[in-house]
Amino acid sequence: MPVKAQERATERESGRSGALVLAAVLVAVFVVPTSISGTGVALPSIGADLHAGLVPLQWVVNAFNVAFACFTLVWGSIADIIGRVRAFALGAVIYAAASLVSVLATDVLLLDAARALAGVGGAAIFSGGAALLSTVFEGPARGRAFALFGTVAGIGVSFGPSLSGVLIDGAGWRWVFAVHVAVLALVLPAVPAMSRAVGHTRNPDARVDVPGSALFVLAMLLLTTAIAQGSQWGWGSAGVLGLFAGTAVALLAFVAVERRVAHPVLDLGVVANRRFLALCLVPVAGSFGFVTMLTYLPGYLTGAAGYSSGAAGAVMLLLTVPMLVLPMAAAKLVARGASALGVIRLSLVLLLVGVLGLELFSPEVNLGLVALPMLVTGAGYALAAGLVDGQTLELVAPERAGMAAGFLNTMRLGSEAIAVAVYGALLATVVTARTQDALAGYPVDPAAVAATAAGGDLAGPVASVPEGQRDGLTRVLVDAYDGAFHTVAGVLAGICAALLVLVLVLLRGSAKQR
């Protein structure tokens, strides 16, 4: 065979191998963020079916998010040791097995454990998948591959609630997890071909930073548990304060360990750059202003406004549609000379304005009135989604890009877990306070009813009282849930405003340093 013909054949084979790896990674990556955002839609159905209390029900979401956030950095190291294809495949197997257990679960605690295991698998899919794309593609092809990676992840997060709503209405909440099993079952047969395409990527000299990883995981678990239990134990209780204190001790120990180990899971020097730190805080604002609404706004629509799960998922499209067009639009603006930091600043302003506009929600509100705030909130999240990663990684040397990306994604995923836990805990606290006296005239356990209502299930407590009292109890619970929603939304707006100010100050300070 002539040399040129042989080169063309090799290029075609390489292209087919790269396309296979890209397709497998994108399919698996799509599943993970749909689970992050879509599971919240199923919480009322899960709570009613499994007779779950509020805190165990919240951990159906929290367990996945916390495990995912904690193990993202760890799996990056493991992929270097055992090979990137193997790490990716192992993550897919863990995720599929955990999802199958979720389908079959008859107890909420078993479901919580399965969701935590799925989070561990999801972290491997993301870390191993990103490493695979970096290995297989080079130059402009690598840029396109990572653009698709980010777009698919964003679409998964954005449309997870809508897809879950359709599945719940049509077949029940268990099918939310059954679909994950089916999709990943399509990915695993491609693993042998992926191994042949990628080759050996093991680094036998690499070592996992076990002490640092363990301390980081411990700190995240203590922090999220403290937030989740605050509404049950009391925010000033010895248990909650002890958990917060333990978080601080674990983080201090983590910093001390990372300064001394030869191969730290996080090089603390990457956060010394003020511009780098500012950009890493941008997705944190998105977690509090956007991801929390993706997770819990469907519960408000079904519980307080009387929407079906499918209708609530359809309404959520107003929040998620901007994700389809604005990331690419933002990239084109910057390519034509617009300031990337200017677009990012605009995104934070839009996010804050949108969250403030969500205060217009009420059980009887006209959908047209809240459509604009929902679109603005989605736009604020979507504009920065594609820019932050590129702008952040430009600030570090190529050999430190993996660690920088790991830190950015830890900030992104960790803040999502914390934001969702904060929202759920505050909602439960406010609902309990608002119903404590009003439920005295009903033959119910006020604490149990408040906890159930805070989980989005208002129909269950109403059905448990005599028919003549149902209308009155419905009004009490709807008013309490509606008031709690607005209180928590105000807190989220305050957090977004504080992050906006902090990012602006850090960016200004970085400009002065330069």
Side-chain angles (χ1 to χ4, degrees), residues 94-105 114 177-178 180-181:
I94 292 172
Y95 196 107
S99 296
L100 181 59
V101 174
S102 300
V103 172
L104 302 175
F177 306 115
H180 298 164
V181 180

Side-chain angles (χ1 to χ4, degrees), residues 250-441:
L251 287 176
L252 290 173
F254 171 74
V255 171
V257 167
E258 297 307 277
R259 286 176 173 173
R260 288 172 173 79
V261 296
H263 302 286
V265 70
L266 173 64
D267 184 347
L268 298 178
V270 301
V271 300
N273 186 309
R274 297 180 64 166
R275 184 173 176 180
F276 176 87
L277 181 58
L279 291 171
C280 288
L281 289 174
V282 173
V284 177
S287 296
F288 281 94
F290 180 80
V291 176
T292 52
M293 289 299 165
L294 276 178
T295 305
Y296 283 106
L297 185 55
Y300 177 88
L301 294 173
T302 56
Y307 285 67
S308 67
S309 294
V315 172
M316 294 300 292
L317 290 174
L318 292 168
L319 197 65
T320 56
V321 161
M323 195 67 201
L324 291 176
V325 295
L326 289 185
M328 291 302 297
K332 289 180 179 179
L333 281 174
V334 173
R336 293 175 180 174
S339 167
L341 293 182
V343 175
I344 289 172
R345 291 186 183 99
L346 175 62
S347 75
L348 291 173
V349 172
L350 290 177
L351 187 68
L352 175 58
V353 171
V355 173
L356 289 172
L358 294 178
E359 292 282 1
L360 295 172
F361 264 103
S362 71
E364 302 84 17
V365 70
N366 186 311
L367 188 58
L369 183 63
V370 295
L372 182 59
M374 292 182 73
L375 288 169
V376 171
T377 303
Y381 182 81
L383 277 174
L387 289 180
V388 166
D389 295 76
Q391 290 294 308
T392 302
L393 296 181
E394 283 183 4
L395 299 175
V396 298
E399 63 270 17
R400 307 175 79 183
M403 185 175 295
F407 179 75
L408 174 63
N409 283 311
T410 298
M411 293 287 284
R412 176 182 284 128
L413 301 171
S415 65
E416 287 178 5
I418 292 171
V420 169
V422 167
Y423 187 105
L426 290 179
L427 189 71
T429 299
V430 179
V431 168
T432 300
R434 286 177 172 269
T435 57
Q436 189 170 11
D437 296 330
L439 293 177

